[in-house]
Each structure stands twice: as C-alpha cells, then as structure tokens.
C-alpha cells in the first residue's frame, strides 16, 4: 500500500517544486558591454531590461528596420542612413557628401555600432582590422516605452512593444563606459504549465490507486469480484 502511494506523492512534490521555481523572478545576463566615446550598442528589447552603468548613459527606444548592404573588412558604398556594426578593435571611417568630407578613427574594446550621420545621401568608406557589417536604416521610429531612471540601474519595460524594438545605448562622455545588461523574467510560463500538469497528474494517479486499493475498480461501479 505504501508503494502504491509513492508515485503520486513524488509527482506532487516535483510539481510543487516546479511551481515555486516558476513564480520566482529570475534575471539573465544579456551582455557585458563597453561603449567608447561616440559609439552605440544596440540591444533587442525583451521582457524587462535592467541597465547597470558606471557612468552617464543615454538610452533611447526605437522601432528599427534594417537592411544589410555590405560586409567585410573594407567597404565603400552609397547609403542614405547608415549603421555600422564593427567586430574588431579599430575602424577608419570617411563620409562625404558633394564637397563636404568628414573622417574619424575609432577604437573598440569589444566591438560596437556606429550611426555616424543623419539621413541624407552619403558616400561611405570604412576599413577595420575585423569584420564590418553595413546596414541601411529603413525605419527609425520613436517608441513610447516605460523607462525608469533612478540613482541606481535603469529599468525598461519591453512587454508592450513590438519585436522590432531595440534599446539604443550611447556613450556621450570621453571615457569608456561599462554597461551590464540584464533581462528580468517575471514568470516562467513554461515551468508553470508543467508544474500544474504534474500536480493534476498526481491527483489523478492517487484517485486511481485509491479506487484499486479499496476494491472498487478503476471506474465507479466496477467491482473486483463477479456477482454470483
């Protein structure tokens, strides 16, 4: 009889443990970033984001639509609204529009992104010791998200925004800025569903075992002995 009662008890305990786990808020690390002066980091907005920085950090929410134009260690393209994603330690950039020419060099600790100019018509040349991916920004719309800034971390609620919404992080200072990005998950829906299923299964197994043990059969009215 004790052996019969053991399976539903184990299922009930496992379901209860998973239920408690699913209701505990959890944080996952999205990235540990280094932003050099004048550079960006672009992070997809998901759940509730927590930003921890060791200095002044500019944060913007944008609904972005990007089209890849070119990639390689050296590129030369005509673009309207460029975004450069750099995976290297240095970048030499030249942007020209008719007779106006603008050039600058950048140095990175862990790569980064650049939006060097506003929308227009630009001849862009860039070279790096690593990989460059050039995108054309086809959409760059403001998003009215819930952004809470205090003396500590910055919290951004992303639950009500579209899947094209990104956090645009910018370093306005002259010194490198270290930013830790976390995603705060309120409820683990997957674990919650499994835990409820296990608890229901434990109750059904217990009821079935009780019916067998009491001699009433698995179903109501089904006896173990035939009538004479």
């Amino acid at each position: 009889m004790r052996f019969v009662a053991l399976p539903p008890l184990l299922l009930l305990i496992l379901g209860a443990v998973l239920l408690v786990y699913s209701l505990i808020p959890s944080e996952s690390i999205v990235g540990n970033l280094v932003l050099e002066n004048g550079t960006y980091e672009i992070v997809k907005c998901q759940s509730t984001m927590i930003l921890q920085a060791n200095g002044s950090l500019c944060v913007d929410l944008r609904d972005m639509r990007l089209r890849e134009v070119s990639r390689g260690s050296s590129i030369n393209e005509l673009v309207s609204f460029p975004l450069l994603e750099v995976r290297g330690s240095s970048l030499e950039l030249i942007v020209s529009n008719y007779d106006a020419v603008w050039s600058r060099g950048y140095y990175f600790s862990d790569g980064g992104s650049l939006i060097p100019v506003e929308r227009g018509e630009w001849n862009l040349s860039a070279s790096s010791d690593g990989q460059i991916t050039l995108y054309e920004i086809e959409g760059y719309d403001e998003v009215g998200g819930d952004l809470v800034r205090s003396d500590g971390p910055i919290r951004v609620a992303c639950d009500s925004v579209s899947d094209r919404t990104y956090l645009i992080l910018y370093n306005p200072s002259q010194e490198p800025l270290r930013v830790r990005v976390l995603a705060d998950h309120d409820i683990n829906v997957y674990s919650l569903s499994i835990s409820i299923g296990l608890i229901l299964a434990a109750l059904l197994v217990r009821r079935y075992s009780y019916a067998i043990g009491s001699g009433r059969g698995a179903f109501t009215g089904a006896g173990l002995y035939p009538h004479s």
Side-chain angles (χ1 to χ4, degrees), residues 27 33 38 71 86 98 124 127 146 150 163 171 202 213 220-221:
E27 295 180 352
L33 313 174
R71 67 170 60 197
V86 183
Y98 299 103
L124 186 147
S127 60
D146 185 8
S150 62
D163 58 359
N171 177 14
T220 303

Side-chain angles (χ1 to χ4, degrees), residues 99-114:
D99 295 332
V101 178
W102 176 79
S103 63
R104 183 174 173 182
Y106 294 88
Y107 296 94
F108 301 92
S109 298
D110 61 348
S113 299
L114 296 171

Side-chain angles (χ1 to χ4, degrees), residues 1 26-27 78 93 118 210:
M1 191 68 183
S26 60
E27 295 180 352
L78 176 65
L93 179 65
E118 299 281 339
Y210 176 77

Side-chain angles (χ1 to χ4, degrees), residues 15 41 71 84 104 108 139 151 183 190:
E41 287 286 353
R71 67 170 60 197
L84 293 158
R104 183 174 173 182
F108 301 92
D151 295 335
Y190 182 72

